Amino acid sequence: MEASDDAADEAAAVVQLTYRPLPADTLVGLRVRERVKRTGLVLRCVFLVLWVGQWTFSVGSGTVDVVSTALFLFVLLMVWVYPRIQAAHVERIVGWQGEYRVTVSTAGITCRSDHSTLDQRWSVFRGYRETADHFVLLSRDPNIMCLDILPKRGVLGAEGVDRLRGMLDQHTPRV
């Protein structure tokens, strides 16, 4: 009787996800990483200071420098578009692998596709952040180079999202 109870407990402690990665998933992960690292805040402050300096210099000289204004707007556009370019690039890397089947258990996270299998223990992650449609797990390295993005749309079962949230809370902190 105990063996069947243990097997039932183990099955309850596993959450399955099946999904196809989308560029929007990666973009959410990149935005979460930016917020955790605070790079977006630093970039906004630097651009504000540069813009005020450029504007002050232009007003002081009595003319508007078209080249510096155009360069400033170009850099601003690149800062906005760069995460989208990264997301599209990641999609080209992982998109051809097709459907992902992810198992989240007490041992860690296992991600399988038709072409690869990746096993990660909980010690790999510094924590996770929940968004409206995703769970984003952040790697422990200082630059947060690795992200695991678990879209809620991929969770199997009605109560799966709550079980996944509980499992993440149990094994890694929210950041």
Side-chain angles (χ1 to χ4, degrees):
M1 188 77 151
E2 282 184 32
S4 65
D5 289 341
D6 289 341
D9 289 342
E10 192 173 309
V14 171
V15 178
Q16 300 283 334
L17 292 89
T18 303
Y19 62 92
R20 267 189 170 284
L22 301 173
D25 299 333
T26 303
L27 191 56
V28 166
L30 292 172
R31 285 181 178 153
V32 165
R33 182 178 77 176
E34 179 182 287
R35 285 186 199 112
V36 169
K37 288 177 62 174
R38 300 191 192 315
T39 54
L41 180 63
V42 170
L43 278 175
R44 285 185 197 93
C45 290
V46 166
F47 281 118
L48 180 63
V49 168
L50 289 174
W51 179 78
V52 168
Q54 189 260 341
W55 181 78
T56 304
F57 181 73
S58 294
V59 169
S61 67
T63 62
V64 175
D65 185 14
V66 176
V67 173
S68 66
T69 302
L71 283 173
F72 177 79
L73 293 174
F74 175 75
V75 169
L76 194 62
L77 177 67
M78 287 307 296
V79 167
W80 180 79
V81 104
Y82 186 71
R84 288 156 182 81
I85 293 170
Q86 281 183 301
H89 182 70
V90 169
E91 175 62 22
R92 283 191 300 274
I93 292 170
V94 300
W96 67 271
Q97 295 185 39
E99 187 175 79
Y100 279 59
R101 296 168 302 283
V102 178
T103 303
V104 181
S105 68
T106 56
I109 298 175
T110 301
C111 181
R112 289 182 173 82
S113 73
D114 291 340
H115 305 280
S116 65
T117 299
L118 175 64
D119 288 322
Q120 299 173 91
R121 294 191 176 159
W122 290 110
S123 59
V124 170
F125 303 107
R126 82 168 52 188
Y128 81 97
R129 183 159 296 177
E130 182 176 0
T131 68
D133 299 317
H134 300 83
F135 291 101
V136 180
L137 289 100
L138 305 158
S139 66
R140 198 172 282 282
D141 66 283
N143 290 319
I144 312 175
M145 295 304 291
C146 296
L147 301 171
D148 275 19
I149 303 157
L150 304 175
K152 292 178 182 178
R153 72 177 182 277
V155 176
L156 303 177
E159 72 287 341
V161 171
D162 292 331
R163 287 186 20 237
L164 179 56
R165 184 181 300 112
M167 188 164 294
L168 293 173
D169 284 336
Q170 181 181 2
H171 294 286
T172 186
R174 288 181 188 241
V175 292

